Amino acid sequence: MDAREKHYGREYSKKYFVDGTAARKLQVLPDYEREQEQISRPQVVERPVKAPKLTHGIDFVSMVLLVAAMAITLYLCYNYLQVQGNIVQLERDIAVLSGNVDTITAENAALEDGLNRTIDWEKVYSTAIGELGMVYPNGNEVITYKSTENGYVIQYKDIPE
């Protein structure tokens, strides 16, 4: 017998009962016994848990770091925008200069063509051979070389022989 059975003066022979093939069910105590159990238990008084102290805001070191990070970010953004603006301006300058190069190249070609038209190549040939004593070179006097530059030659007239 346990202390509860002695206390109420009753003796329970079984804590469980069998009802056919069903599983055992716990025998239910009458209501007044439950009330007595709840009364006899020591009541636990729960102390309220203190909530952690909440700080409203951030400390000085965090504020300094935040301000420094913001200043660095703003400085980098400003420099990025300046560099981007310089790149755009340089691209515009390149486009203008590229147009100037095309114009000057066309003018240069026109002037060369005009000069070549004014030169009398027959007179140059006769002066070189007759007055200056120039002659065509022999085969062993010609030296050829390969140019490393990718240049070009414009021939306007055939060279007389």
Side-chain angles (χ1 to χ4, degrees):
M1 285 200 297
D2 65 356
R4 189 180 65 212
E5 292 173 349
K6 287 182 183 178
H7 178 72
Y8 294 112
R10 298 184 188 145
E11 191 173 318
Y12 294 97
S13 60
K14 294 181 182 178
K15 289 187 178 181
Y16 298 99
F17 65 94
V18 178
D19 186 15
T21 59
R24 295 181 175 189
K25 294 182 183 176
L26 188 60
Q27 188 173 6
V28 181
L29 294 174
D31 288 338
Y32 68 92
E33 289 181 2
R34 277 195 208 149
E35 290 172 6
Q36 289 298 323
E37 266 185 29
Q38 289 175 357
I39 292 172
S40 65
R41 285 188 195 154
Q43 293 188 359
V44 177
V45 177
E46 295 183 16
R47 293 183 182 168
V49 178
K50 290 183 181 179
K53 185 177 180 182
L54 297 177
T55 57
H56 298 289
I58 57 175
D59 60 344
F60 180 74
V61 175
S62 298
M63 179 62 82
V64 169
L65 290 175
L66 181 64
V67 168
M70 289 173 56
I72 290 170
T73 303
L74 288 175
Y75 176 74
L76 290 176
C77 289
Y78 178 75
N79 282 342
Y80 175 76
L81 291 175
Q82 272 190 328
V83 169
Q84 188 70 21
N86 290 341
I87 289 172
V88 169
Q89 184 61 40
L90 289 175
E91 286 176 350
R92 288 179 188 155
D93 293 345
I94 288 171
V96 168
L97 292 175
S98 181
N100 291 345
V101 167
D102 292 340
T103 305
I104 291 172
T105 303
E107 288 177 6
N108 191 22
L111 289 174
E112 282 184 14
D113 193 31
L115 284 175
N116 286 333
R117 285 189 204 144
T118 60
I119 297 175
D120 184 15
W121 293 108
E122 291 295 325
K123 185 177 179 185
V124 171
Y125 179 73
S126 63
T127 305
I129 290 187
E131 293 177 17
L132 300 174
M134 297 178 97
V135 293
Y136 279 102
N138 295 331
N140 61 354
E141 294 175 342
V142 177
I143 300 171
T144 59
Y145 71 96
K146 289 190 174 185
S147 176
T148 57
E149 295 180 22
N150 293 335
Y152 62 93
V153 176
I154 299 174
Q155 183 175 344
Y156 294 104
K157 288 187 175 183
D158 290 334
I159 299 174
E161 292 186 23

